[in-house]
Every structure is written in C-alpha cells, then in structure tokens.
Amino acid sequence: MLKKIIFFIVIILLIGVGIFSFNSYTSYKENKKEEQKYGQQLKKDVHSYLINDKNYKDSDIKQMEITKNSKQRGLRSVEIDVVFNDDPDSTYTYVYDSGTRKVIQMAGNGQKNLEPQNK
C-alpha cells in the first residue's frame, strides 16, 4: 500500500514538473517573438528618425543591427546599434525613450548622447 502511495506521489510530481517546464518554455518563446517584433519596429523607427529627423541619407549609414543589452530586462534590453560611414570606428546605440516612446541615442554610460555631426 505504501509503495502505491509513493508511486502516485512521484507521478503527480512528475506531471507538475512537466507542466511547469512546458509553461516556462512557452513563455520564453513568446517573449523571444515579442522581442524580435519590437526590435524590427525599433530598427524601422531608428532608420526613419535618422533619415527624416536628422537628415542622414541611406548612403551615410554603414550598418544597423538589433542588439540586446544584458544590463536591461525585457523589451528595454532591445537596442539598435548604428555605424556611420564617416565614423566607422564608432557604434551609436538607439532605443525608445521610456517616457515618450521616441527614438533617442544612448551613450555608453546609459545617458542620452548626441549623434555625430552630419555633413
């Protein structure tokens, strides 16, 4: 009788662990999809910001890449790194301002920074 009780307790624990693992994995996948969608929108908005607001041309932009800042969590960790043709040794990081949801440039220390001077 005791063996049957222990057997059922083990089965219930295994089912519980399985359900927890499945829920965690599903949540992780949903968060990754949300981050990818957020990153694509941010990249599009950064491009628009540089072209329309800062008067850059597509030819001025050498590279734009979606990156993650390990010091942030969730969507705040998604950033866009931009390299300009006239300053190929520097990377400029852009995010959404948390208060206004406008694109801003961040300095290496997490503070707002100025874009390079456009010609």
Side-chain angles (χ1 to χ4, degrees), residues 10 27 89:
V10 168
S27 176
D89 295 328

Side-chain angles (χ1 to χ4, degrees), residues 36-50:
Q36 287 177 335
K37 185 177 176 181
Y38 181 88
Q40 290 298 326
Q41 184 62 49
L42 177 57
K43 186 175 181 179
K44 180 180 171 185
D45 291 345
V46 168
H47 183 266
S48 176
Y49 168 78
L50 293 173

Side-chain angles (χ1 to χ4, degrees), residues 1-8:
M1 182 71 163
L2 183 62
K3 286 184 179 182
K4 286 184 180 180
I5 292 173
I6 291 174
F7 176 76
F8 285 117

Side-chain angles (χ1 to χ4, degrees), residues 76-115:
R76 295 281 300 145
S77 68
V78 179
E79 303 174 338
I80 304 298
D81 285 347
V82 178
V83 177
F84 294 95
N85 283 318
D86 65 347
D87 191 7
D89 295 328
S90 299
T91 301
Y92 298 87
T93 301
Y94 295 85
V95 297
Y96 287 124
D97 182 275
S98 58
T100 64
R101 189 142 162 93
K102 291 183 179 181
V103 172
I104 58 171
Q105 184 196 4
M106 300 300 291
N109 60 5
Q111 301 297 313
K112 292 179 184 178
N113 195 17
L114 298 175
E115 283 87 5

Side-chain angles (χ1 to χ4, degrees), residues 5-18:
I5 292 173
I6 291 174
F7 176 76
F8 285 117
I9 289 174
V10 168
I11 295 297
I12 290 172
L13 287 174
L14 288 175
I15 290 171
V17 167

